[in-house]
Amino acid sequence: MIEALLTRARRAHGARTVLIAHTGPGAAATAATLAGETGGRLVDLGRGGGARGGRTRPPVDLLVLVAVTAADLRAAVPRAERLPAATGFGIAVRGTAPRQSPPMPAPPGLGEWSGLLYSRTRRLPDRGWMWEFSFVDPVEAALVLEAVARGLAGNRRGPGWATPTSAGNRSATDPSWLRLGGRGAVSRAAGATRLSVDDVPAVDERVVNPTGFTRTSTPRVGRLVSRGGRWVLVAGNGVRWRVPEDGAVSDVDVAGLRDLRGVRVGWGRHSGPLAAVRAVAGLAAAGIPLVGSRPPLWARPLGEELHALLAHSPEEELADELFREEHSVRLRRAALRVHGAHGRARLLAESGGPPVPAEPSVSVVLCTRRPEMVGFALRQVARQRGVEVQVVLALHGFEVDAPGVAAAIAEYRRGGRSLLVWEPPGDLVFGSVLNGAVARTSGTLVAKMDDDDWYGPEHLSDLVLARRYSGAELVGCAAEYHHLEHLGLTVRRLVPSEAFAEHVTGASILTDRTTLEEVGGFRPLPVDEDAGLLDDVRDAGGSTYRTHGLGCVIRRRGTGHTWSETSGYFLREPLRQWRGWRPSALLESSPEDAPAPTTETTTPDSPTTGSDR
């Protein structure tokens, strides 16, 4: 199919000079077939890294690129300098994960495509895509590849390609990637146990990430087992995935495993230690629930946290959907922070590699009308870890000398925490209070937290991580957990997560200052200012991503909420209910801030379900 379409493109362009590039395992055969039909020259973009000289080569009439996966194409963008300019392009990616929208290319913004005559995006069988372009004058290949790569990532912010990894830049005296990735490398590489995280190619988190994680699953657990000295993933009686010899995981591979309850890793024979670690790190970064025996010493390049999680991962507990998701979140955190392209670049910089920009700081806007909640709210911020936090505390309609407020502020500031206090007048509408607080922030990112809700210690760092792998302008979490204080119930509602969505809970909004400036901040409204911001971001062409809701619990009292839903609303078809206080384990609930047991005897609208964990 691809060969026929690209041959047709060649005829349409009237191409006399053709160059055919390929990248990814399995693309070479398709490229060779095309070369035989067209007489075009072959270039392997999967090798040679960043070799230069493409800009000085004479242009060609048609440049064809065949990539196996989106990750292969994105990794090829920095290598496009090897390629000449062209007036015609045919780019094919043989398979991608299911998409929410077509991967339309994102043209560069400096007029480089003013001579565009024709552009076409076409769906291929097996979820593949093909792009065709025709220009009046030759255009640099890198501009076209980057436009397509950015489209594959949803045309969102961030680079259109994967960050180069350290494994491609190792010195000639180090054990080579090919040798250590080959079969039987454990037995013949005495230094295998001395490998580090830096030796493993990074995961491109823009294509291999938790997006698409499903809370429900079949009872089936896949198994990574050895067949012929190479890992395959077996589910039931069939092979679901043949692990490539280099261990690379693609978005297509991940999509084909989402229905499994989990994957058991068999640390036996495989295609090599680095390849095995790379495969496990990629699956973990995607949130695939992994279980198995304690990893061997040669698997230390997984990193300490991921190594420890795999050593203590009971398979039988995956039958509990909540435990399964909690385990998935822990795995993805550990893998993305160490093996993601962003995290890897930062680790390399810390060990003397190329410098990278500082981690974004987060300013939390905390607006309250209730002096009695100031201490509780500041404790929720103080427990955040993994991010640099500044707080702007807006005391809406009261002053610092209100009972307990000054003491709570002093306690928060103890240890050098950054806190700015502002006292807006009580008649200022809430949207304007939020904008005034935002104007006083100094962080790169701005997060909104409510004064009466509970937040896990990784709440903010999870949002920052989701922003990085999704590329969305605004991120937040699903409004899943609610504690109905007057009924003494904790309810988890069925809200899809790890997906682009129109709505996130207003108690968890995180965005950047530029986005807030572009949409005019929060609407100056007394209520619904959160929904207004979400609408404005969407209307401005931005995207909103909803990550998991396990680290946030919304407090519901009988009265006094701007979101005026009755208790019955939160009891309609919930995923689970518990009597008393039952947050997710990821909340790491503090006894000091746990709600007091209710003394009311109100009967809930529906019976409780689920078990006490």
Side-chain angles (χ1 to χ4, degrees):
M1 179 67 175
I2 293 176
E3 293 90 336
L5 290 172
L6 290 174
T7 299
R8 198 174 308 156
R10 180 230 178 184
R11 292 170 182 164
H13 286 287
R16 291 171 295 179
T17 55
V18 181
L19 186 144
I20 301 171
H22 60 90
T23 180
T30 301
T33 300
L34 288 169
E37 294 178 355
T38 63
R41 183 166 56 89
L42 280 172
V43 173
D44 183 357
L45 277 187
R47 297 183 181 180
R52 298 182 180 274
R55 292 181 182 176
T56 62
R57 295 178 179 179
V60 296
D61 295 325
L62 177 64
L63 193 155
V64 173
L65 173 65
V66 180
V68 177
T69 67
D72 292 325
L73 176 63
R74 284 168 52 80
V77 173
R79 305 168 187 159
E81 290 184 350
R82 300 178 58 195
L83 302 175
T87 52
F89 291 85
I91 301 170
V93 174
R94 286 168 45 175
T96 63
R99 307 185 58 83
Q100 290 182 297
S101 59
M104 306 302 292
L110 297 176
E112 295 98 332
W113 281 22
S114 59
L116 178 66
L117 291 173
Y118 173 81
S119 172
R120 183 178 185 181
T121 300
R122 178 169 184 160
R123 189 189 301 270
L124 300 176
D126 298 325
R127 295 175 179 157
W129 291 88
M130 178 176 166
W131 299 262
E132 294 178 59
F133 304 91
S134 180
F135 297 91
V136 173
D137 299 308
V139 173
E140 291 183 17
L143 291 176
V144 179
L145 263 63
E146 182 176 346
V148 173
R150 195 176 298 280
L152 282 167
N155 289 333
R156 298 183 296 275
R157 297 183 184 184
W161 59 88
T163 304
T165 65
S166 58
N169 300 318
R170 296 166 61 185
S171 70
T173 58
D174 290 330
S176 73
W177 163 260
L178 291 177
R179 182 165 69 84
L180 284 173
R183 297 180 182 177
V186 173
S187 60
R188 69 172 183 261
T193 57
R194 294 195 297 270
L195 296 173
S196 68
V197 167
D198 290 348
D199 294 304
V200 185
V203 174
D204 181 1
E205 62 259 63
R206 293 298 291 274
V207 289
V208 178
N209 58 51
T211 302
F213 176 85
T214 54
R215 184 177 292 119
T216 58
S217 66
T218 65
R220 185 170 292 171
V221 175
R223 296 172 291 122
L224 274 174
V225 297
S226 177
R227 290 192 178 176
R230 179 173 172 179
W231 260 356
V232 296
L233 197 149
V234 177
N237 296 322
V239 173
R240 188 74 69 90
W241 177 44
R242 297 184 183 278
V243 181
E245 289 206 0
D246 64 357
V249 178
S250 74
D251 55 336
V252 179
D253 302 328
V254 170
L257 304 176
R258 287 293 187 202
D259 65 303
L260 298 178
R261 177 173 288 174
V263 171
R264 186 189 313 127
V265 182
W267 299 102
R269 293 182 60 83
H270 44 76
S271 56
L274 285 180
V277 168
R278 186 184 189 188
V280 171
L283 294 176
I288 300 294
L290 301 176
V291 295
S293 59
R294 184 177 183 84
L297 290 177
W298 55 258
R300 283 178 177 172
L302 286 169
E304 292 183 6
E305 186 178 1
L306 191 53
H307 195 280
L309 283 171
L310 289 169
H312 303 90
S313 49
E315 179 180 328
E316 59 275 8
E317 292 201 43
L318 294 184
D320 184 313
E321 290 180 359
L322 178 54
F323 177 88
R324 176 178 177 269
E325 187 170 1
E326 291 169 344
H327 184 54
S328 168
V329 171
R330 292 187 177 103
L331 287 170
R332 68 184 72 157
R333 285 172 177 169
L336 287 169
R337 290 170 185 170
V338 173
H339 293 282
H342 179 91
R344 182 63 54 77
R346 188 158 302 283
L347 289 174
L348 289 172
E350 293 173 356
S351 60
V356 295
E359 286 278 22
S361 56
V362 180
S363 288
V364 173
V365 291
L366 194 57
C367 306
T368 179
R369 283 186 176 274
R370 297 174 285 201
E372 70 276 10
M373 296 305 299
V374 171
F376 170 86
L378 289 178
R379 285 194 296 274
Q380 302 308 300
V381 183
R383 67 200 307 254
Q384 298 301 306
R385 58 183 180 234
V387 289
E388 179 187 340
V389 178
Q390 177 225 12
V391 177
V392 175
L393 176 63
L395 306 178
H396 191 189
F398 63 94
E399 299 178 351
V400 175
D401 58 3
V405 173
I409 291 173
E411 177 63 27
Y412 181 84
R413 283 175 170 161
R414 190 169 291 123
R417 297 189 187 96
S418 176
L419 171 65
L420 186 150
V421 180
W422 174 45
E423 300 174 356
D427 58 355
L428 196 63
V429 296
F430 191 54
S432 296
V433 174
L434 287 169
N435 286 332
V438 171
R440 290 162 170 79
T441 61
S442 60
T444 310
L445 305 177
V446 177
K448 176 178 174 289
M449 294 174 67
D450 285 356
D451 66 345
D452 58 348
D453 297 330
W454 292 269
Y455 297 91
E458 307 246 10
H459 167 73
L460 290 178
S461 59
D462 279 347
L463 292 180
V464 172
L465 194 63
R467 177 179 179 269
R468 185 173 300 138
Y469 62 71
S470 71
E473 279 73 22
L474 186 149
V475 297
C477 66
E480 294 183 37
Y481 273 89
H482 301 265
H483 183 69
L484 310 183
E485 205 165 56
H486 60 299
L487 297 180
L489 285 177
T490 301
V491 177
R492 188 187 184 197
R493 301 182 62 243
L494 181 58
V495 182
S497 61
E498 296 303 343
F500 290 90
E502 292 187 359
H503 182 266
V504 297
T505 177
S508 68
I509 286 174
L510 180 139
T511 186
D512 57 87
R513 301 174 63 86
T514 301
T515 296
L516 286 171
E517 291 168 2
E518 289 175 351
V519 303
F522 291 89
R523 296 180 185 179
L525 300 171
V527 295
D528 294 333
E529 72 294 330
D530 299 329
L533 177 63
L534 296 175
D535 289 343
D536 292 340
V537 169
R538 183 184 65 249
D539 292 344
S543 57
T544 297
Y545 186 83
R546 182 195 291 156
T547 188
H548 72 88
L550 302 181
C552 177
V553 180
I554 309 299
R555 187 195 304 256
R556 295 293 305 184
R557 299 184 177 90
T559 58
H561 294 280
T562 55
W563 184 17
S564 56
E565 296 287 354
T566 64
S567 297
Y569 173 85
F570 300 96
L571 295 171
R572 293 176 195 153
E573 299 181 3
L575 180 61
R576 295 177 81 167
Q577 294 183 41
W578 301 266
R579 291 197 181 277
W581 174 237
R582 294 293 189 275
S584 160
L586 298 185
L587 192 80
E588 299 183 30
S589 178
S590 168
E592 178 184 12
D593 292 324
T598 181
T599 57
E600 297 189 22
T601 58
T602 306
T603 302
D605 299 345
S606 60
T608 58
T609 61
S611 58
D612 292 345
R613 292 181 55 245

